[in-house]
Every structure is written in structure tokens, then in C-alpha cells.
Amino acid sequence: MDDIDRQLVSRLVRDGREAYADLARAVGLSLSATKRRVDRLVGDGAIRGFTAVVDPVVMGWALSASVELFTTGTVPFERMRRDLDAMPEVVSASTVSGGADAMLRVVASDAGHLERVISRLRDLPYVQQTNTVLLLSSLLSRPTPLTTDGPH
């Protein structure tokens, strides 16, 4: 990835709907060369997609929680991924080091809804226990940090 690619990715992270003409002007390439580069970045997997970022509170999901999953033995991660993907309230999930096996971010409409989500998680055959922390407010949320001079 060269400097022009990093500039394109950085601009698209800020506004995934930026017009190719504006991108081209910003990086000093022709419109067709810019589109080819963006297509290549998508094809190579550097850009995994474009999406709308929705405020969960506006959508009626007022509670946000961090949930640690503790499992019994070894769980095939693909199975866990499928099970968690089937729960729309789980907005992110990662395997982690430490005591827990996975860390989830969950959104819910209210405390009762969150309790039902936690019960569904505990009903998964490989879940031994959960530990839930309510998230009160967001101090910072941003996409993967990008700089024009690459990783440090």
C-alpha cells in the first residue's frame, strides 16, 4: 500500500460515499485511475466494505453492555461465530486473552431485553458463565486509525 492508497482509504473511512471525482482531485489522479485503485483496494481486502453507521439509541437500543463469555473446554470458533451472528443484539465479538474466552458488545432496548439476551447466551451449550458490565457512555469511537505514513 503506497501513500496514494493510504490517502484514499483515509478519505473513504471519513466518508464512504465520497465521489470518485472528489477522491481523484484530492490525490491527484484521473477519475479512472482512482476508481481502479479503489476497486483494487476492495478486491485485495484492504477495504472490506461500505456501510451506514447507525446510532443504536435512535434505533431504540438504549442499553449497551460488555459481556465476557467463559466456555467449557475448546469451542470451534466458527460455531461460536455462527451462534453469535444469529443474535442481532451482539454487535461485536472477539476472542481474548485472560480468563474469558470471548468479549462481546451487546445492545438492547432495556434491562429486560438485555436480561433475555444474556439468558440466550447462557443457553449456548458451551457457555459456562457470563460476566456483564453496562456501558454508560461512549468516550471515543472511531474506525481503525490511519496515518499517511503507515503503521508505527
Side-chain angles (χ1 to χ4, degrees), residues 1 4 15 20 23 26 29-30 38-39 43 47-48 57 60 62 76-77 86 96 98 104 116 119 128 133 138 146 152:
M1 181 177 280
I4 292 174
D15 180 4
Y20 284 112
L23 288 169
L29 294 177
S30 70
V38 171
D39 289 346
I47 296 175
R48 294 188 304 197
V57 174
F77 290 125
V96 295
L104 317 178
R116 290 188 300 278
S119 287
Q128 180 179 8
V133 176
S138 176
L146 300 172
H152 296 287

Side-chain angles (χ1 to χ4, degrees), residues 40-72:
R40 180 182 45 77
L41 289 164
V42 170
D44 290 348
I47 296 175
R48 294 188 304 197
F50 299 88
T51 189
V53 178
V54 179
D55 183 343
V57 174
V58 172
M59 300 303 293
W61 302 74
L63 284 182
S64 188
S66 181
V67 179
E68 292 177 307
L69 281 188
F70 297 82
T71 64
T72 55

Side-chain angles (χ1 to χ4, degrees), residues 11 25 40 44 48 60 83 90 107 114 131 142-144:
R11 293 184 70 87
R25 209 172 6 266
R40 180 182 45 77
D44 290 348
R48 294 188 304 197
D83 290 342
V90 177
V107 293
L114 178 60
N131 183 40
R142 64 176 158 213
T144 302

